């Protein structure tokens, strides 16, 4: 096991470039199961979750050539892929459930182990199940597996989601592309990653309208074909660097991302006293769907933004909401900012009830935080102090490292495999920005049995 050793305080300055979104690439990889043959995906981030999904697809019978340095993955899907995704891999990553839709849609059956992944709260599969059943499948849980079967194929249906779930939208969208007839998904998620998968499915021959709105209409087709596709930039990684600049009083330019993907993040950073400027060449006048399509076709090298942090940020009020609201994945960074801000900040978490686990670790650094239900009241302190902390999920881990860079002394962050799942070259990029961060071997834990 390894830890990240962080010495602070350190001001981060320089340029970083983000690649494709973790929350998109995994679903795009699953979508290739809809079409036999060789699909090529570019702008792929070099993260652990891509390796996990690669192994999952291989076990389903796909042949994969992955070049992590070039950020390109070739996926050759067989005529008859397997239908069972085992617990061994699925437990490591919740996104593995996204093979459910394409396998049910194309192979008329899927046996997917109940997912694991980050400890940020319960995320049931009720909406996935109800949607597939509306399209004619039988769906149930059996010995830890979600079983979906549609021997006669899926049929179009009208589906209303009680909540705009990203995962349910993606699974039902993919399943509907090969269903017989028209499927309407109402109250669908509108995240950029949903737009990205819709654009890829369209390129594969799917008939989808309403992209970027809360109502998706899918006309089922008989067959889809392989495709070449570029992954949309990772707005969560980009937002992480934006907050890193504000928290450390730094100056960071982030490239490879369309600023349109972070609408409410910038306004909160400005409220905290940061200077935010958009780089020329961004697609901010084209509209979100057109901007993502343009970036997919031509790249996003000229897109990006710059954040100059204040000497000490002002406290901010943040409530997480589905897109275009403030992303729940950036909530830990907003908490960390408020921890060292001037004033009292209020955070409201509307999506994942267990995401507050992070604040108990931040409190070890000296943060003053009171939790009341889904609210966190954060009283800013003059300075944090280094301590040993543990990452409970991807974003919490990264936020603890950034908080450590604003703290006095040494902070040690354990369970860093979480960070590796979502951030490409995190330590190396921090070092390029001037951070004193090292990945070191974790000492052997104390053996309590030795006292017996």
């Amino acid at each position: 096991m390894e830890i990240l050793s962080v010495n602070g305080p350190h001001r981060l300055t320089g340029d970083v470039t983000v690649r494709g979104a973790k929350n998109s690439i995994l679903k795009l990889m699953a979508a290739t199961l809809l079409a036999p043959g060789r699909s090529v995906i570019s702008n792929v981030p070099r993260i652990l979750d891509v390796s996990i999904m690669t192994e999952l697809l291989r076990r389903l019978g796909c042949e994969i050539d992955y070049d992590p340095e070039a950020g390109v993955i070739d996926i050759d899907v067989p005529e008859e892929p397997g239908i069972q995704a085992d617990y061994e891999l699925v437990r490591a990553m919740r996104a593995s459930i996204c093979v459910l839709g394409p396998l049910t849609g194309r192979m008329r059956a899927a046996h997917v182990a109940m997912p694991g992944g980050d400890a940020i709260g319960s995320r049931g599969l009720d909406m996935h199940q109800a949607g597939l059943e509306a399209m004619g499948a039988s769906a149930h849980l059996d010995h830890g597996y979600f079983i979906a079967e549609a021997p006669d194929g899926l049929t179009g249906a009208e589906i209303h989601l009680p909540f705009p779930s990203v995962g349910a939208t993606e699974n039902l969208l993919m399943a509907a592309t090969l269903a017989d007839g028209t499927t309407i998904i109402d109250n669908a998620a509108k995240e950029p990653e949903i737009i990205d998968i819709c654009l890829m499915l369209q390129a594969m021959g799917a008939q989808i309208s309403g992209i970027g709105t809360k109502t998706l209409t899918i006309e089922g087709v008989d067959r889809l074909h392989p495709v070449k596709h570029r992954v949309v930039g990772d707005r969560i990684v980009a937002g992480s660097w934006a907050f890193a600049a504000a928290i450390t009083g730094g100056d960071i330019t982030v490239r490879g991302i369309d600023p349109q993907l972070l609408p409410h993040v910038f306004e909160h950073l400005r409220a905290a006293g940061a200077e935010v400027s958009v780089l020329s060449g961004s697609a901010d006048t084209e509209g979100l769907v057109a901007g993502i399509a343009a970036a997919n076709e031509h790249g996003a090298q000229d897109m990006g933004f710059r954040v100059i942090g204040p000497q000490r940020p002002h406290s901010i009020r943040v409530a997480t909401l589905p897109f275009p609201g403030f992303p729940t994945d950036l909530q830990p960074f907003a908490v960390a900012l408020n921890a060292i801000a001037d004033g009292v900040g209020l955070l409201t978490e509307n999506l994942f009830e267990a995401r507050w686990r992070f604040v108990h670790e931040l409190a070890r650094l000296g943060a003053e935080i009171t939790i009341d239900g889904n609210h966190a009241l954060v009283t800013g302190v003059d300075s944090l102090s280094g301590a040993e902390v543990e990452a409970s999920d991807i974003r919490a881990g990264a936020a603890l490292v950034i908080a450590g860079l604003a703290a006095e002394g040494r902070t040690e962050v354990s369970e860093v495999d979480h960070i590796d799942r979502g951030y490409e070259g995190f330590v190396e990029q921090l070092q390029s920005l001037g951070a004193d961060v090292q990945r070191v071997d974790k000492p052997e834990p104390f053996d309590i049995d030795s006292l017996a």
Side-chain angles (χ1 to χ4, degrees):
M1 298 296 293
E2 295 177 316
I3 62 172
L4 294 188
S5 176
V6 184
N7 289 303
H10 265 281
R11 180 173 182 264
L12 300 180
T13 62
D15 289 23
V16 294
T17 299
V18 300
R19 284 209 278 192
K22 165 192 173 296
N23 291 336
S24 186
I25 176 57
L26 306 176
K27 323 304 173 60
L28 300 176
M29 292 173 69
T32 63
L33 291 168
L34 289 164
R38 178 173 169 267
S39 288
V40 181
I41 305 175
S42 60
N43 200 34
V44 178
R46 190 177 67 248
I47 56 176
L48 181 57
D49 273 12
V50 169
S51 298
I52 295 173
M53 181 61 79
T54 296
E55 180 60 23
L56 176 58
L57 293 181
R58 281 185 174 134
R59 295 190 185 189
L60 293 175
C62 300
E63 295 184 6
I64 300 179
D65 183 9
Y66 174 35
D67 185 341
E69 294 301 322
V72 177
I73 188 164
D74 290 19
I75 304 173
D76 195 348
V77 179
E79 285 290 341
E80 294 190 10
I83 62 169
Q84 180 157 312
D86 291 325
Y87 178 68
E88 177 185 1
L89 289 171
V90 177
R91 72 183 181 91
M93 185 179 66
R94 289 179 183 269
S96 302
I97 196 64
C98 65
V99 301
L100 174 66
L103 287 178
T104 307
R106 180 168 167 230
M107 301 309 298
R108 303 185 176 186
H111 300 178
V112 183
M114 291 293 289
D118 292 334
I120 59 175
S122 60
R123 289 189 277 185
L125 299 178
D126 291 353
M127 285 183 277
H128 304 248
Q129 180 175 357
L132 289 174
E133 287 178 341
M135 287 191 278
S138 64
H140 62 280
L141 298 179
D142 185 24
H143 296 287
Y145 279 79
F146 188 99
I147 309 294
E149 296 176 333
D152 298 323
L154 298 175
T155 56
E158 293 189 15
I159 301 169
H160 175 79
L161 299 179
F163 177 83
S165 162
V166 172
T169 299
E170 290 164 337
N171 259 326
L172 299 177
L173 167 67
M174 288 188 281
T177 59
L178 295 175
D180 181 17
T182 303
T183 299
I184 298 173
I185 304 175
D186 181 50
N187 201 29
K190 299 185 291 184
E191 272 71 2
E193 295 78 23
I194 298 289
I195 295 173
D196 197 27
I197 194 171
C198 284
L199 293 174
M200 176 170 161
L201 291 170
Q202 278 190 328
M204 295 172 72
Q207 301 295 313
I208 306 171
S209 59
I211 298 174
T213 75
K214 70 173 186 178
T215 303
L216 294 173
T217 301
I218 307 102
E219 301 284 349
V221 297
D222 293 333
R223 187 178 179 89
L224 299 177
H225 55 78
V227 72
K228 292 184 178 180
H229 184 81
R230 180 188 181 278
V231 188
V232 69
D234 197 318
R235 61 193 172 100
I236 304 303
V237 171
S240 302
W241 294 123
F243 270 96
I247 291 169
T248 67
D251 182 350
I252 301 178
T253 298
V254 182
R255 305 183 188 277
I257 187 75
D258 186 344
Q260 288 187 100
L261 306 185
L262 294 163
H264 288 285
V265 172
F266 293 157
E267 68 181 52
H268 282 89
L269 289 171
R270 291 187 177 108
E275 297 178 32
V276 182
S277 56
V278 172
L279 302 183
S280 61
S282 73
D284 57 327
T285 61
E286 297 184 26
L288 189 59
V289 177
I292 293 175
N296 286 349
E297 183 176 358
H298 304 296
Q301 294 85 350
D302 295 330
M303 299 182 187
F305 58 87
R306 179 184 181 187
V307 177
I308 302 175
Q311 184 172 0
R312 186 183 184 188
H314 309 302
S315 61
I316 57 176
R317 295 171 65 97
V318 173
T320 63
L321 290 168
F323 189 86
F326 190 89
T328 182
D329 280 352
L330 291 180
Q331 178 252 88
F333 299 90
V335 176
L337 181 143
N338 275 333
I340 49 93
D342 179 18
V344 179
L346 179 65
L347 286 298
T348 301
E349 175 54 58
N350 291 309
L351 301 179
F352 296 117
E353 72 279 359
R355 201 144 222 168
W356 294 136
R357 288 184 57 182
F358 155 77
V359 305
H360 302 298
E361 298 302 305
L362 193 60
R364 291 179 55 78
L365 301 180
E368 296 185 6
I369 306 172
T370 302
I371 301 297
D372 182 9
N374 66 328
H375 304 288
L377 191 70
V378 187
T379 302
V381 298
D382 291 334
S383 65
L384 300 173
S385 57
E388 295 180 9
V389 293
E390 179 180 305
S392 58
D393 65 75
I394 297 171
R395 312 306 171 184
L400 286 169
V401 173
I402 301 303
L405 289 170
E408 298 284 346
R410 184 182 183 190
T411 297
E412 294 183 352
V413 183
S414 61
E415 301 297 330
V416 297
D417 57 308
H418 285 297
I419 301 174
D420 294 336
R421 288 182 45 222
Y423 290 86
E424 176 177 355
F426 190 58
V427 171
E428 293 75 15
Q429 287 196 307
L430 284 170
Q431 290 171 341
S432 75
L433 296 172
D436 185 357
V437 179
Q438 304 292 330
R439 185 185 291 264
V440 299
D441 290 335
K442 181 180 180 180
E444 288 295 324
F446 175 68
D447 184 7
I448 196 170
D449 294 333
S450 65
L451 299 179

